[in-house]
Amino acid sequence: MKKAVYAMCLPVALLAAPSALLAQQNNVVKSITVKGTVEFTDPKSSSNIIWLLKDNFSGKPVVVDSCLLAKDNTFTFKIKQDHQGIYTVDALHWDRATFWSDADVKMDLRGYDTSFYKIKIPHYNYVEGSYDNNFINLMTLNGELNYRRMIDEYNMEYYAKKATDTTWYGYMKNTKKYNPMREDFSIREEVLTRSYADRPVLVYALRGMAGTEAGARYDKAMQLLDKLIARYPWLSEAKQLKQTIITNKAQAMKLKTGQPMPTVKYPDANGALAGLEKYKGKYLLVDFWASWCGPCRQAIPKVKELYDEYKAKGFEVVSISIDTDKNAWKKAMKEEAMPWDQLLSDNKDKTMEQFQFSGIPTLYLVDTEGKIMERFTGYSDDAEAKIKESISKGTKAKASQPASVPMTGF
């Protein structure tokens, strides 16, 4: 008899689930508790601090709270809010996890990097929370897997080229992949976006989806934002994000092919301000990098070869670091011994916004008249070929519609 009752109730429970979820997403949550642990602390620090940041979608998260890690390596935050939104826990500035604040959450962070080569790129952290919070878990995992695949493919190509046996490199170069890396990432992103299309947490994905050029992807992102704004009047983040996208698009128009390279001045290693105007009459490669960026430093030997080959033909390079640790920047400069001018951004966020990049290395090729010819995200064989061709042929920048420029990441 009990089995019969259970069988009859199950379909009713399943039918009720969507209504429950709808009620949940329309409900404004005024407070939640955040709990977590940190496995490893910084042995060089006398106090290990945990920060709580809120994403306001204007370009930079705001610190709203902080606490010292307890002796048992635990931490707790109480969030009081007007409505749910995107928050991030930053552990010791070494590890982090992002979540949607519509229910209590729990997380276990690794914390300090104990590896021999330390890098402040957080590994994947799963946050226990609500159904909507799982969207962030899945989006974060997708991005992490894409990043790891990018590093793997880059390293494989690098070492394959160095091998005396060319079979490996030939296979990599000529074999068509079932799904190229970017396509693989986009397929998963599309499925996740469709699955959560009517839920407020979708705003998390739309931060980097729009780009800054008119087109199908841009239009789709703006349409989804408008739907969120109409459906959730309390979701002020959606309104702010829309304005940020519009602002970034206006800035990106200043970086189109044929536009003058923006005038900037940054301090050099001696603290003296220097700009780019002295390179007028030469081809210039402006390389945005950082000491902690593996792909940036792997690209430096290739740029050196390019510089040595074309310097006599009127080619120059300037590296602009977005390091926030001046000593780390100077140490990396000494190790890499780059024979061209080195500048340090005095405001990383402003530089990333002005030049519209979220990943490094990002490089701009500028012609002899000081106009933008090409923008490269990462230093690749294709980028190198285009630079060589431009210098060899004496090409000038042409005013043309470029591919979509990714909006500044948050």
Side-chain angles (χ1 to χ4, degrees):
M1 187 67 180
K2 289 182 180 178
K3 290 183 179 178
V5 172
Y6 177 77
M8 291 175 63
C9 290
L10 182 59
V12 176
L14 291 173
L15 288 172
S19 299
L21 290 174
L22 182 62
Q24 180 189 22
Q25 69 185 17
N26 283 319
N27 183 40
V28 174
V29 177
K30 295 295 186 72
S31 65
I32 68 163
T33 299
V34 179
K35 292 185 177 181
T37 64
V38 176
E39 186 175 2
F40 298 105
T41 57
D42 188 344
K44 297 179 182 178
S45 178
S46 57
S47 60
N48 289 277
I49 303 175
I50 312 297
W51 288 268
L52 179 67
L53 302 89
K54 188 176 191 302
D55 200 332
N56 59 13
F57 292 83
S58 63
K60 186 178 180 180
V62 177
V63 176
V64 294
D65 203 354
S66 64
C67 69
L68 288 173
L69 192 65
K71 291 182 179 179
D72 62 352
N73 283 19
T74 63
F75 63 87
T76 301
F77 290 110
K78 298 284 187 181
I79 295 179
K80 292 186 178 181
Q81 57 191 3
D82 294 329
H83 60 269
Q84 51 267 46
I86 305 291
Y87 288 82
T88 297
V89 168
D90 181 336
L92 328 177
H93 289 328
W94 279 97
D95 201 5
R96 56 176 53 202
T98 301
F99 61 91
W100 179 248
S101 64
D102 67 336
D104 293 346
V105 297
K106 182 181 177 183
M107 61 191 72
D108 296 312
L109 306 178
R110 179 178 174 84
Y112 182 75
D113 189 346
T114 58
S115 64
F116 183 76
Y117 291 103
K118 302 185 187 305
I119 184 168
K120 288 190 177 182
I121 298 178
H123 64 288
Y124 177 69
N125 291 304
Y126 180 85
V127 179
E128 295 180 23
S130 68
Y131 171 85
D132 277 3
N133 185 72
N134 282 335
F135 178 69
I136 297 179
N137 280 329
L138 293 168
M139 288 293 294
T140 303
L141 179 60
N142 191 30
E144 175 69 14
L145 293 175
N146 186 64
Y147 177 79
R148 292 180 188 178
R149 181 174 170 184
M150 177 187 71
I151 297 299
D152 284 343
E153 290 189 3
Y154 188 93
N155 285 335
M156 280 191 288
E157 182 178 343
Y158 175 76
Y159 287 107
K161 284 182 178 179
K162 293 181 68 174
T164 54
D165 184 347
T166 60
T167 304
W168 183 14
Y169 180 64
Y171 174 81
M172 290 180 62
K173 185 176 181 180
N174 300 318
T175 302
K176 184 177 180 181
K177 295 180 175 64
Y178 181 73
N179 278 332
M181 181 179 65
R182 293 184 183 278
E183 183 180 321
D184 200 34
F185 171 83
S186 297
I187 289 171
R188 290 193 296 261
E189 181 186 63
E190 174 66 18
V191 171
L192 287 170
T193 301
R194 289 180 65 183
S195 299
Y196 283 79
D198 62 343
R199 305 187 71 81
V201 73
L202 181 69
V203 72
Y204 177 80
L206 298 181
R207 299 178 307 166
M209 178 180 168
T212 51
E213 292 286 343
R217 189 172 171 83
Y218 180 91
D219 292 342
K220 180 180 178 180
M222 296 302 273
Q223 288 168 6
L224 289 170
L225 264 177
D226 286 338
K227 287 182 179 179
L228 289 182
I229 291 169
R231 186 165 188 173
Y232 306 105
W234 50 264
L235 192 60
S236 57
E237 289 84 353
K239 299 173 185 176
Q240 178 60 63
L241 177 56
K242 183 177 180 180
Q243 184 55 53
T244 299
I245 292 172
I246 293 171
T247 300
N248 284 339
K249 182 178 179 180
Q251 179 61 26
M253 294 302 101
K254 300 176 184 177
L255 300 171
K256 289 173 63 175
T257 299
Q259 292 296 313
M261 186 68 171
T263 301
V264 292
K265 286 189 180 295
Y266 297 116
D268 61 18
N270 298 316
L273 290 177
L276 306 177
E277 60 280 349
K278 71 177 183 178
Y279 297 102
K280 210 91 177 266
K282 296 185 176 183
Y283 285 97
L284 176 65
L285 185 67
V286 182
D287 178 14
F288 292 95
W289 75 296
S291 64
W292 44 261
C293 169
C296 298
R297 299 187 67 162
Q298 286 182 340
I300 290 171
K302 296 182 179 181
V303 179
K304 280 184 179 179
E305 292 175 3
L306 187 69
Y307 181 74
D308 290 341
E309 184 178 352
Y310 287 92
K311 178 175 172 57
K313 298 179 182 179
F315 174 64
E316 290 289 344
V317 179
V318 173
S319 291
I320 301 176
S321 171
I322 59 169
D323 273 289
T324 53
D325 184 338
K326 192 173 182 179
N327 290 330
W329 172 56
K330 288 188 173 182
K331 182 174 181 289
M333 280 195 295
K334 185 177 180 180
E335 292 170 348
E336 300 295 349
M338 292 170 278
W340 51 77
D341 286 347
Q342 304 291 319
L343 304 178
L344 177 65
S345 167
D346 50 6
N347 187 321
K348 179 187 74 173
D349 297 314
K350 183 178 179 180
T351 297
M352 293 176 70
E353 180 181 353
Q354 183 176 10
F355 288 94
Q356 289 292 293
F357 66 89
S358 58
I360 50 177
T362 290
L363 308 98
Y364 281 90
L365 179 63
V366 182
D367 72 8
T368 55
E369 296 177 356
K371 295 180 180 180
I372 296 170
M373 295 187 68
E374 296 276 356
R375 165 198 164 108
F376 308 106
T377 301
Y379 190 84
S380 63
D381 289 343
D382 287 342
E384 185 173 288
K386 287 181 180 178
I387 294 169
K388 289 182 175 181
E389 182 182 12
S390 297
I391 299 171
S392 299
K393 293 183 177 180
T395 309
K396 295 291 191 295
K398 297 178 181 179
S400 61
Q401 189 76 6
S404 178
V405 178
M407 65 185 292
T408 300
F410 302 134

